[in-house]
Amino acid sequence: MIIMQGKPFEKILEMIKDVDKVFITGCSLCATSCMAGGEQQIMEMKERLEKEGKEVTGFVVLEASCNRLQVRSALKKKKEELGKAQAVLCMACGDGAQTVAGVLEDIPVYPANDTLFIGEVERIGHFSEMCRACGECELGWTAGICPVTRCAKGLLNGPCGGSRDGKCEVDRENECAWVLIYERLKKMGRLENIKEIKAPKDYSRAYNPRKIVVGCRKEG
Amino acid sequence: MGLREKLESGGFALTAEMAPPKGVNTSRFRECARGVKGRVDAVNVTDFQSAVVRISSLGAAIMLLEEGIEPVMQLTGRDRNRIAIQGELLAAGALGIKNILALTGDHPVFGDNRQAKPVFELDSVNILQIATLLMEGKDLAGNPLDGAPDFYLGASVTPLFNPLELQVLKMEKKIAAGAKFFQTQAVYDIEVLRRFREKTAHLDAKVLVGVIPLKSPGMANYMNKNVPGIFVPEGVIERLRNSENKVQEGLRIAAEFIMQAKEEKLCDGVHIMAIGAEENVPILLDMCGF
Ligand code: SF4
Ligand code: SF4
């Protein structure tokens, strides 16, 4: 899931300081799970903006703010409220905000959230980063623990010298991914997986922006 | 005799570590370097150690060459991608720098420019791999070089690591990638060194054990708390606490440790990291009778 967090309200006010009338969009998927763009957060945002003297002309929780066709048809139904607005405040991820901006074209769209990472929902409100979309998944030999993401340095050949008592030097709250990988592989009797030298990753797989068409895999 | 010849002929090698200057005033750096000239086999220059902006290790290595001192150029993957690493290595090779110490590098979060983008495209093993390829006359992509460099490659290892098996596993990879010598994290407990020697007896590489002379009990406590891989035993801290001249006592402790490690043949040399007190290195060498 895409993990995001609301921008500080003052920053939002600063972005839309010249705007009196605003339309709000949210998203029923990641933004709702992150409690950053579901119906409840939209209602709270509406109330706070109104307190600041703004008029909220309408709102919609998009089914998937990152799906162009869905966004287009959902926003069509809100034509009237959108017509009254000078700007849209998008409470989805950066992808969702761009999709909304691309569909609306001539109304400015402002992001209400900071998009942070691809992560796991550990429990409600607790998220941790799990994947950096590197373009070539390594999990098969690492006992299902991503070294690219969960090692603070993205190391592929074992731990750095900063690992201590199983914790990472960069943030002592975090487990050292390499100790986790070692322990899990050892338990599985597969330590040989990390004995082979891994060449540096092929970053050309992650040159952005990436595009794919299902069924047409670019091999390399 | 250079570092490689010393180690390969079975000698007990001495290296000291120096941080390049922060700024273009190089007088203290040169002065400290001259202080150990002829007394150590080579001097390490760190590569933006602790992610702090300073003169690069390549620049500092050239200054050492100018002073007639053999450098060990440290090179990390923190700030450079594969293009820059290869360029840096080729420059080193062309300028006559032989010894390269490949490191992963400290994270920028520890440095003085904490907003930096960490690179870490290559880890220490990859840097060794690439240096080995360059020595064979090609770059990482397989393109031919007009003249190949000749390096003596080294890496670091932490004898006090839990789990030690994982550390040894990585050490094996570094050797397979071309490392011929290792400089270790500082060790204070001879028992740690004995255990490490036992676990690495099967490996074909030279080991220079790291020594950081202590300056105060506070420094020891700080390192115990904050520096991964370092543990100063209570007995050592007690000695410092009870001494009048703590710097002197710290040097004496270091000298005794070095002599014992040498006598028990637990290492092939020592690597002295004076961190900011480089002027004490000659005193320590005197104490050891080197
Ligand atoms: S290796 Fe890690 S970053 Fe790459 S795709 Fe797999 S989980 Fe994601
Ligand atoms: S301590 Fe472990 S997780 Fe942290 S950077 Fe080093 S190897 Fe990676």
Side-chain angles (χ1 to χ4, degrees), chain B residues 8-285:
Chain B
E8 287 182 353
S9 65
F12 192 80
L14 301 173
T15 55
E17 182 165 300
M18 289 180 59
K22 184 167 180 102
V24 296
N25 178 357
T26 63
S27 50
R28 183 180 136 83
F29 176 81
R30 288 181 187 269
E31 205 178 292
C32 290
R34 284 181 206 130
V36 293
K37 183 176 174 180
R39 303 204 58 189
V40 294
D41 298 292
V43 171
N44 280 50
V45 278
T46 52
D47 180 20
F48 309 128
Q49 189 172 18
S50 308
V52 168
V53 172
R54 337 175 135 266
I55 288 178
S56 68
S57 58
L58 178 63
I62 294 167
M63 291 193 275
L64 289 181
L65 286 177
E66 286 168 2
E67 297 292 334
I69 295 164
E70 181 173 320
V72 176
M73 184 177 114
Q74 299 195 176
L75 193 59
T76 79
R78 178 192 52 238
D79 312 301
R80 303 177 188 87
N81 67 7
R82 67 190 75 189
I83 298 173
I85 289 276
Q86 292 179 89
E88 204 82 343
L89 284 168
L90 289 176
L95 290 161
I97 295 160
K98 297 272 176 223
N99 311 309
I100 303 290
L101 190 87
L103 301 162
T104 294
D106 296 320
H107 196 278
V109 74
F110 298 110
D112 65 352
N113 279 253
R114 300 178 58 162
Q115 296 81 2
K117 179 175 183 177
V119 179
F120 296 116
E121 177 177 307
L122 309 172
D123 57 28
S124 48
V125 177
N126 297 144
I127 296 174
L128 292 165
Q129 244 185 335
I130 284 178
T132 300
L133 274 174
L134 295 178
M135 285 160 72
E136 289 164 6
K138 1 178 236 264
D139 73 9
L140 180 60
N143 305 304
L145 303 176
D146 180 7
D150 180 28
F151 295 128
Y152 187 50
L153 299 177
S156 70
V157 66
T158 306
L160 183 67
F161 191 93
N162 188 15
L164 188 56
E165 183 185 18
L166 182 54
Q167 186 68 194
V168 174
L169 212 140
K170 186 152 187 189
M171 191 178 172
E172 286 166 352
K173 283 177 151 181
K174 288 176 179 176
I175 294 171
K180 300 278 187 263
F181 72 95
F182 286 83
Q183 290 172 325
T184 80
Q185 177 59 288
V187 181
Y188 293 91
D189 183 350
I190 201 83
E191 198 44 53
V192 167
L193 197 55
R194 288 193 192 117
R195 214 175 314 134
F196 177 71
R197 196 59 165 178
E198 201 185 294
K199 290 274 191 272
T200 55
H202 62 292
L203 298 179
D204 181 21
K206 304 292 181 184
V207 173
L208 280 69
V209 62
V211 170
I212 302 178
L214 294 165
K215 287 179 264 189
S216 66
M219 174 183 175
N221 288 325
Y222 176 85
M223 291 199 301
N224 277 350
K225 203 167 154 230
N226 298 301
V227 186
I230 292 194
F231 174 69
V232 187
E234 184 49 37
V236 171
I237 303 178
E238 190 62 29
R239 262 183 76 177
L240 281 171
R241 218 178 276 130
N242 295 336
S243 66
E244 294 228 324
N245 187 335
K246 304 199 189 300
V247 171
Q248 196 72 13
E249 187 66 10
L251 290 167
R252 213 171 290 131
I253 291 167
E256 286 169 17
F257 179 82
I258 293 171
M259 298 320 288
Q260 191 175 357
K262 183 170 187 250
E263 192 163 311
E264 290 188 37
K265 296 196 170 33
L266 296 175
C267 55
D268 306 286
V270 284
H271 176 55
I272 303 164
M273 297 168 273
I275 32 180
E278 280 75 19
E279 63 279 3
N280 290 337
V281 176
I283 306 172
L284 176 59
L285 295 172

Side-chain angles (χ1 to χ4, degrees), chain A residues 153 164 182 186 194 201, chain B residues 82 105 165 173 224-225:
Chain A
K153 298 176 186 171
R164 186 187 208 180
Y182 163 82
K186 189 166 176 150
I194 50 173
K201 281 186 82 69
Chain B
R82 67 190 75 189
E165 183 185 18
K173 283 177 151 181
N224 277 350
K225 203 167 154 230

